[in-house]
């Protein structure tokens, strides 16, 4: 297994290396195109060799500066690469007009540097690059016609045109691939974070409710055992059933398939409230709800009733669901102490209510929770109903 992991890591590194854009030194070997001109200068076959030598040195320096700064993310936003490119163009025109011949190969190098510096996308910078490269190619063809020969005109112009556009296209392609890889990695991280959030919410809702049911029924067993053994055995059987159901729900939550239904949660709420000694008043009216809306409200019922049992000290709890054609309203009220969550007072929802608020907001609804007058706690969830989904559900 270790070897396979090492191989996978090595494979990822190899793919990353292949997708890297050309480095700063990748374009320097193209300067060897001027080797013939340098040899002519050394042999003294050209006039003013010292001036030509100085021109070659300046050309090479400006070319390297333009390429290096054009490939550097920090330097690209400055004027340095543009100044270097402008200086390189001046030296290119001076050398080709003064010497002609093989010196015309400076134009493809100038166009290559322009492709490095001026690539910025496919809109403004693309048009600017096209204008500059076409201008260089036309100039190279014109100078070749007057200083070289008719046969060189098309060759030099085509080479100048091709080198600028191809360089810009290759670098832009590599940068696009790099951005896509970074975006894909960011999306993967976001997906992991969303899945962690989903799992933490589901686990909180599942375990919080289930443990409350088990505790309440265990207390009922302790109270009933001395005087009513059959009733105590019934409560113990309920504990076993709740535990088995919790295991199933946790497995489903881990795989992401669990959907709490509203009717099921209303039945469980009634059982939990009655086992806790709280009078339950469960009401439901309106047309059938779409599965997604019913599942979301099922989570609200589960969390709200669990908080009533845990924190309210109430003797009565009312759960009312009122559905309309375009909206459904769920209201949970109790006559307890006015505390509805496990983090403080009402109006400062705990993790469970906070998670429900985020879920409802994502579906276009909202949740409010707070004290109900002088005594008690009220939780209200309102959720829009998709009429198309409702019709599909009915059919």
């Amino acid at each position: 297994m270790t070897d396979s992991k090492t191989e996978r890591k090595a494979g990822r590194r190899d793919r990353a290396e292949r997708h890297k854009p050309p480095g700063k030194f990748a374009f320097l070997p193209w300067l060897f195109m001027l080797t013939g001109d340098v040899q002519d200068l050394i042999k003294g076959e050209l006039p003013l060799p010292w001036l030509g030598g100085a021109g070659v040195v300046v050309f090479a320096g400006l070319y390297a500066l333009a390429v290096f700064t054009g490939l550097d993310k920090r330097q690209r936003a400055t004027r340095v690469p543009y100044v270097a490119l402008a200086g390189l163009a001046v030296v290119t025109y001076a050398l080709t007009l003064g010497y002609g011949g093989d010196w015309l190969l400076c134009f493809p190098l100038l166009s290559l540097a322009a492709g490095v510096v001026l690539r910025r996308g496919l809109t403004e910078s693309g048009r600017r690059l096209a204008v500059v490269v076409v201008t260089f190619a036309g100039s190279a063809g014109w100078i070749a016609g007057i200083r070289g020969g008719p046969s060189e005109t098309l060759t030099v112009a085509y080479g100048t045109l091709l080198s600028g556009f191809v360089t810009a296209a290759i670098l832009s392609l590599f940068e696009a691939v790099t951005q896509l890889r970074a975006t894909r990695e960011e999306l993967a991280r976001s997906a992991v974070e969303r899945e962690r959030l989903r799992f933490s919410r589901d686990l909180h809702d599942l375990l919080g409710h289930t443990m409350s049911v088990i505790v309440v029924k265990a207390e009922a067993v302790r109270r009933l055992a001395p005087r009513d053994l059959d009733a105590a055995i019934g409560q113990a059987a309920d504990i076993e059933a709740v535990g088995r159901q919790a295991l199933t729900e946790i497995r489903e939550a881990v795989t992401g398939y669990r959907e709490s239904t509203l009717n099921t949660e209303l039945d469980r709420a009634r059982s939990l409230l009655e086992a806790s000694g709280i009078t339950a008043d469960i009401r439901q009216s309106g047309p059938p709800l779409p599965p997604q809306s019913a599942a979301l409200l099922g989570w609200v019922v589960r969390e709200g009733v669990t908080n009533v049992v845990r924190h309210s000290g109430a003797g009565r709890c009312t759960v009312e669901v009122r559905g309309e054609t375009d909206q459904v309203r769920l209201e949970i009220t109790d006559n307890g102490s006015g505390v509805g969550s496990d983090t403080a007072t009402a109006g400062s929802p705990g993790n469970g209510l906070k998670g429900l608020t985020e879920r409802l907001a994502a579906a276009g609804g909202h949740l409010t929770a707070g004290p109900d007058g002088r005594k008690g706690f009220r939780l209200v969830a309102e959720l829009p109903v998709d009429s198309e989904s409702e019709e599909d559900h009915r059919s």
Side-chain angles (χ1 to χ4, degrees), residues 3 6 17 21 62-63 81 100 120-121 139 150 160 162 167 176 263 276 309 376:
D3 293 339
T6 304
E17 290 294 329
L62 290 173
Y63 173 85
R120 286 290 179 86
S139 300
T160 302
L162 195 64
T167 300
N263 291 334
S276 304
V309 173

Side-chain angles (χ1 to χ4, degrees), residues 5-83:
K5 288 183 179 179
T6 304
E7 291 176 357
R8 286 197 298 270
K9 290 181 180 179
R12 286 195 294 267
R13 284 195 298 267
D14 291 341
R15 288 192 296 271
E17 290 294 329
R18 288 197 300 269
H19 293 152
K20 280 186 177 180
K24 296 180 179 180
F25 296 96
F27 296 97
L28 291 185
W30 291 103
L31 287 171
F32 284 104
M33 293 171 59
L34 304 179
T35 302
D37 303 323
V38 175
Q39 289 177 351
D40 292 340
L41 288 173
I42 294 175
K43 293 177 182 179
E45 297 178 357
L46 297 175
L48 300 175
W50 62 269
L51 184 60
V56 170
V57 172
V58 174
F59 181 92
L62 290 173
Y63 173 85
L65 180 61
V67 170
F68 284 5
T69 55
L71 293 174
D72 188 280
K73 292 182 179 180
R74 292 173 295 181
Q75 294 291 333
R76 282 178 61 183
T78 66
R79 296 182 179 179
V80 176
Y82 300 97
V83 173

Side-chain angles (χ1 to χ4, degrees), residues 242-324:
V242 169
R244 293 183 184 277
Q245 181 64 26
L247 289 175
T248 302
E249 291 177 345
I250 289 175
R251 293 190 188 101
E252 293 174 348
V254 170
T255 56
Y257 295 130
R258 183 182 186 277
E259 286 293 348
S260 173
T261 63
L262 179 59
N263 291 334
T264 301
E265 294 302 335
L266 289 175
D267 292 339
R268 291 178 178 176
R270 185 188 302 275
S271 175
L272 176 59
L273 291 170
E274 291 176 351
S276 304
I278 301 175
T279 302
D281 184 6
I282 310 294
R283 309 170 190 169
Q284 186 175 11
S285 61
L289 297 175
Q292 185 176 3
S293 300
L296 187 54
L297 292 179
W299 285 112
V300 179
V301 171
R302 172 182 284 254
E303 179 66 24
V305 172
T306 299
N307 285 337
V308 170
V309 173
R310 281 181 175 178
H311 312 294
S312 69
R316 182 181 182 84
C317 176
T318 300
V319 180
E320 183 176 6
V321 180
R322 293 198 302 270
E324 299 177 0

Side-chain angles (χ1 to χ4, degrees), residues 218-233 235:
E219 291 176 349
V221 170
R222 178 174 53 81
R223 292 195 308 268
L224 293 172
R227 62 178 186 272
D228 191 343
L229 184 58
D230 291 337
I233 292 175
Q235 293 292 337

Side-chain angles (χ1 to χ4, degrees), residues 133-201:
V133 171
V134 169
T135 300
F136 288 160
S139 300
W142 176 72
I143 296 174
I146 62 174
R147 296 291 293 163
S151 61
E152 296 180 2
T153 301
L154 183 60
T155 302
V156 174
Y158 179 73
T160 302
L161 197 68
L162 195 64
S163 63
F165 286 139
V166 169
T167 300
I170 291 175
L171 291 176
S172 298
L173 180 60
F174 272 108
E175 290 174 351
V177 170
T178 301
Q179 292 176 358
L180 288 174
R181 287 172 60 85
T183 302
R184 184 176 65 181
E185 292 174 359
E186 181 62 29
L187 289 175
R189 285 192 294 268
S190 299
V192 171
E193 291 299 325
R194 288 195 300 270
E195 182 62 14
R196 287 177 178 172
L197 180 61
R198 180 199 69 79
F199 180 72
S200 64
R201 287 172 175 173

